[in-house]
Amino acid sequence: MEITTSAAGMLHQQEVTKYLLTNRQGTRVAILTWGATLQEFSVDEDGQRHQLIVNLPNLADYDHNPYYLCQTLGRVAGRIAGAQFDLDGQTIHLDANEKPNASHGGPHGFTFVNWDATTTQTADTASVVLTHTATPADDKYPGNLKTTVTYTLTEENRLDITFDAQSDAATLFNPTVHTYFNVTDDQHSLNEQWLKLSGTKRLVLDQAKIPTGEMATTANTGYDFSQPRTIKDGLDQLHQTGQVEYDDAFVVEPSKDTPIATVGDTTGHREVQVYSDRNGLVVFTANPTDEKRADQRDYNALAMEAQTLPDAIHHADFGDVILPANQPVTHLISYQYIRK
């Protein structure tokens, strides 16, 4: 295993560092301290490098990137209805950065922080350990929350992402990495990328993408990924109902041993399995690299945001995102590359 460190540049008068993890198979993971960003996850196949995620070349591209491109989201990923919630008898008011709702931790969330970082290594792993303490003055969530995000690359071509946190007051915690996958040979589109999910239900959302509380069965709809299905095929069926994209929350079976989701290419060259200890996966189609194609809804990137189901604080059956005071919590997301 090898770890190299380099200066990525300056953002907002802060020095941003890039860490590159490489294993013996030539699999590489690059992490930026800005936004605890996953800038690269690539593999070497017979001397040809293939990116598994969608990325951009310049540090400036990650400064307030509208897609949150492969960046860490928190304290709470997804939307919180009305930008408020009740906790311990108090109503907490957040910044409504997607009026009237709060989204992805707000305008001062994890994405907009230059994280402190160190590295650790074993014989068969290499890790970047990023830390940040969020305060109520920063993001309006209660409690001083210390969070550690650890990216670990193994010799088995697995990338483990752990989120460890503890707060001195009760707060909410539901982080993720907004990772965009395209595992096809040229990453030009999603036409030849397929998706399989472990669940058979999705959340019903209103026009502002806020859950209504209802869970709908996906069988025989454009949301049915119970078997491998190309994104194009799913979108074609969605178009018949007037939908133009995926920006949806799916109910999945949490597991560290069975994938909650798998993406692969129709040529059968490679796939990535996604594991998570939480019950939700937000799937979003986008084109972060070509604005004109994005306007035409010509997609080349599939975001998969593993988390507890969004807006869980307002829905008792969605999962528990309350972090009690002085109680540590750990969440895990893993990506396993498999060459076919």
Side-chain angles (χ1 to χ4, degrees):
M1 303 294 291
E2 182 182 6
I3 303 176
T4 60
T5 305
S6 60
M10 299 283 292
L11 280 182
H12 306 282
Q13 293 80 51
Q14 299 174 71
E15 294 183 2
V16 179
T17 303
K18 177 178 178 176
Y19 294 88
L20 185 66
L21 315 178
T22 308
N23 70 10
R24 293 185 184 91
Q25 287 76 48
T27 299
R28 295 197 317 220
V29 169
I31 307 299
L32 300 175
T33 55
W34 187 266
T37 299
L38 177 62
Q39 191 188 25
E40 179 181 352
F41 184 20
S42 70
V43 293
D44 183 337
E45 296 176 353
D46 301 323
Q48 296 290 318
R49 183 149 301 278
H50 289 281
Q51 299 292 337
L52 304 175
I53 64 172
V54 176
N55 60 11
L56 291 167
N58 300 314
L59 175 62
D61 295 327
Y62 291 89
D63 183 12
H64 289 80
N65 183 284
Y67 294 96
Y68 296 84
L69 186 68
C70 299
Q71 297 183 304
T72 297
L73 305 180
R75 305 182 188 194
V76 176
R79 299 169 178 88
I80 295 180
Q84 65 180 46
F85 60 91
D86 293 333
L87 184 64
D88 289 347
Q90 289 188 314
T91 298
I92 308 299
H93 296 274
L94 304 173
D95 290 316
N97 59 319
E98 194 177 273
K99 293 181 179 180
N101 307 307
S103 178
H104 289 337
H108 304 287
F110 290 176
T111 305
F112 309 107
V113 171
N114 194 29
W115 293 60
D116 296 325
T118 59
T119 61
T120 62
Q121 237 176 311
T122 68
D124 56 1
T125 67
S127 301
V128 179
V129 183
L130 304 114
T131 57
H132 169 63
T133 298
T135 71
D138 294 332
D139 60 13
K140 298 189 178 177
Y141 284 86
N144 296 295
L145 177 79
K146 181 178 181 180
T147 303
T148 301
V149 180
T150 305
Y151 289 90
T152 300
L153 176 65
T154 75
E155 288 292 5
E156 288 72 43
N157 298 320
R158 186 182 183 100
L159 175 60
D160 291 326
I161 308 169
T162 57
F163 305 87
D164 294 283
Q166 187 166 325
S167 173
D168 61 5
T171 191
L172 305 190
F173 189 63
N174 186 23
T176 192
V177 178
H178 204 301
T179 308
Y180 287 81
F181 287 94
N182 188 326
V183 301
T184 66
D185 285 342
D186 60 8
Q187 290 196 324
H188 178 71
S189 75
L190 294 176
N191 291 351
E192 296 180 358
Q193 179 165 282
W194 55 262
L195 171 67
K196 182 180 186 298
L197 300 178
S198 68
T200 57
K201 293 183 178 180
R202 67 177 178 91
L203 300 187
V204 177
L205 308 177
D206 67 17
Q207 288 191 330
K209 297 294 182 179
I210 296 295
T212 65
E214 180 185 355
M215 296 185 187
T217 300
T218 58
N220 303 313
T221 72
Y223 302 99
D224 187 356
F225 291 96
S226 56
Q227 298 299 320
R229 180 186 196 180
T230 64
I231 303 303
K232 182 181 185 304
D233 185 56
L235 284 171
D236 286 347
Q237 188 170 2
L238 278 193
H239 292 163
Q240 298 172 16
T241 63
Q243 305 299 311
V244 296
E245 65 181 359
Y246 289 105
D247 189 0
D248 293 277
F250 292 85
V251 183
V252 294
E253 297 292 333
S255 178
K256 297 179 182 179
D257 305 308
T258 303
I260 65 164
T262 305
V263 287
D265 68 315
T266 58
T267 60
H269 290 161
R270 66 195 67 85
E271 63 185 53
V272 174
Q273 298 172 336
V274 180
Y275 299 81
S276 171
D277 60 0
R278 289 172 288 168
N279 67 348
L281 183 72
V282 173
V283 175
F284 174 53
T285 45
N287 192 322
T289 62
D290 189 323
E291 190 173 334
K292 288 184 178 179
R293 287 180 61 197
D295 289 342
Q296 297 167 359
R297 301 192 182 278
D298 182 4
Y299 304 121
N300 74 338
L302 186 74
M304 292 199 293
E305 308 156 54
Q307 59 189 267
T308 302
L309 289 168
D311 203 29
I313 191 61
H314 293 131
H315 302 277
D317 58 340
F318 280 14
D320 187 6
V321 295
I322 296 174
L323 177 59
N326 304 309
Q327 179 175 311
V329 66
T330 298
H331 291 304
L332 173 69
I333 301 170
S334 295
Y335 305 138
Q336 176 67 62
Y337 159 72
I338 299 174
R339 185 174 182 183
K340 307 301 287 185

